[in-house]
Amino acid sequence: MVARHGLTELYEPPKGTATVALIVFVHGLFGHPYNTWAAKPSKSRSKSPRHRSTVKPSAPTSSANSPQSSLFPQQENRQELVKNADEAGTTVFWPRDLLPNVVHDARILTWGYDADIDGFGSASQSTIHQHAGSLLSDLADQREISESYRRPILFVVHSLGGIIVKAALNRSSAIQGTRLKDIVPATFGVCFLGTPHRGSSSATLGKIAYEISRTMTRRPNTKLLQGLERNSEMLEQIGDTFAQTMLKSNIGLRVYSFREEKETRKYWVFNTMVVEPDSAKIGDPYEEVGSVPANHIQMTKFASSEDIGFKRIAAQLRRWVHELRGKEEISPEDITGV
């Protein structure tokens, strides 16, 4: 099962294989550690080879095809653990089912946090920085389990998840004297998917979400939402500090930013770009940029290894893991089953 909060390991290298890297997936606003990355395969498309996972399969609790479930997941998504329901192969959870075929020697994990504000009860009131602190602590805890978890980290992040990871790395860089300071030097690369580095204008995530959630929940998390508005002071501060964090990184932090190519339906009436192209990139001279031919929600969902979005993202992760294979000195403790 995939835990709603914290880290869940999805795949570990086969017995006798050294762990070269940790790949950590972080979802965005209204996202979920499973649902964000899960897709329903096309009936007309032949099935891609799936990898045997280290966790039981779990399934999304709302239809990924409806406009409401895309931007505003239903209440059932807020349960602590997602029930197993895709054992017949009704969904493809690509971090578990497809990615291990590309990077067989990386541990793959997904991290969840409360970014849902559409429930009928009180929403989490955590800020971006508080979520970032939780991510750092969870990663530090995981790295203490064994040497095989103390490997270079590659993040794959969507939307708000990218802002949280940047804030987490900023905090790790500024900390002195605690175990949290070890996360930023361990981070080798970040793959941003539709991250609003400068916020969102006509489709400001915070404004859209607040208008919907205001009628659905007693206490929407306005602090979290307002931080995503266009030209937000918080986003500017996190971005400026992250530029310094990248400069201080002693391993040369790799960054690849993907933008969405298609518009997302807003209020079921008209379409709009959720994250504009200029906001979907950091602007660092060493940053690489690309795109996924999908809207903001569907850009994280791949049902086949033939999907061009999967091919592009997997190519970057493969390249980074290949780099790490040449850099790392493997000890016996790094090898699964030894």
Side-chain angles (χ1 to χ4, degrees), residues 156-325:
V156 181
V157 297
H158 180 231
S159 192
L160 171 65
I163 306 301
I164 288 173
V165 166
K166 289 200 302 182
L169 295 178
N170 290 345
R171 181 174 177 180
S172 175
S173 179
I175 285 176
Q176 299 293 329
T178 78
R179 62 194 182 124
L180 302 185
K181 66 179 175 57
D182 297 329
I183 301 302
V184 70
T187 301
F188 187 79
V190 185
C191 185
F192 293 101
L193 309 178
T195 295
H197 298 287
R198 296 168 186 81
S200 179
S201 55
S202 61
T204 296
L205 295 174
K207 291 180 180 178
I208 294 173
Y210 179 74
E211 290 302 317
I212 297 296
S213 67
R214 186 171 57 180
T215 61
M216 300 178 66
T217 182
R218 289 188 293 271
R219 294 187 63 203
N221 189 349
T222 55
K223 294 176 291 185
L224 188 63
L225 299 172
Q226 290 170 355
L228 294 175
E229 293 184 1
R230 188 73 176 183
N231 298 321
S232 153
E233 287 187 16
M234 179 181 293
L235 287 183
E236 183 177 1
Q237 183 271 326
I238 291 174
D240 289 346
T241 306
F242 187 66
Q244 297 302 312
T245 297
M246 291 181 65
L247 288 175
K248 290 193 294 184
S249 173
N250 59 9
I251 59 173
L253 185 63
R254 277 71 167 169
V255 170
Y256 202 108
S257 298
F258 287 93
R259 63 176 175 85
E260 63 223 50
E261 292 184 10
K262 297 183 180 181
E263 296 177 328
T264 299
R265 177 155 301 204
K266 178 181 175 183
Y267 301 133
W268 304 274
V269 177
F270 61 92
N271 295 332
T272 186
M273 297 296 288
V274 175
V275 180
E276 297 290 342
D278 72 307
S279 185
K281 59 184 179 181
I282 294 174
D284 186 87
Y286 294 101
E287 171 190 24
E288 295 187 64
V289 296
S291 64
V292 175
N295 66 27
H296 187 70
I297 304 303
Q298 297 301 318
M299 73 184 302
T300 64
K301 301 177 182 293
F302 310 119
S304 165
S305 59
E306 295 303 309
D307 285 346
I308 186 60
F310 173 79
K311 286 183 175 181
R312 290 174 179 174
I313 295 167
Q316 304 313 314
L317 296 175
R318 182 194 296 115
R319 181 165 58 87
W320 289 345
V321 170
H322 180 72
E323 281 189 66
L324 289 169
R325 290 190 191 115

Side-chain angles (χ1 to χ4, degrees), residues 1-11 22-28 31-38 54-56 58 81-82 93-96 99 107-113 135 138-139 142 149 154-158 300:
M1 292 187 292
V2 175
R4 181 65 184 87
H5 301 96
L7 287 165
T8 300
E9 182 169 290
L10 307 176
Y11 168 81
L22 302 183
I23 300 177
V24 180
F25 286 78
V26 181
H27 65 78
H32 187 281
Y34 178 95
N35 295 344
T36 291
W37 316 103
T54 58
V55 297
K56 294 181 180 180
S58 52
L81 292 174
V82 183
F93 183 33
W94 68 270
R96 178 197 69 196
L99 189 58
R107 287 182 181 267
I108 302 173
L109 305 95
T110 185
W111 186 73
Y113 60 101
L135 174 58
D138 288 347
L139 287 171
Q142 194 79 17
Y149 288 100
L154 306 177
F155 288 103
V156 181
V157 297
H158 180 231
T300 64

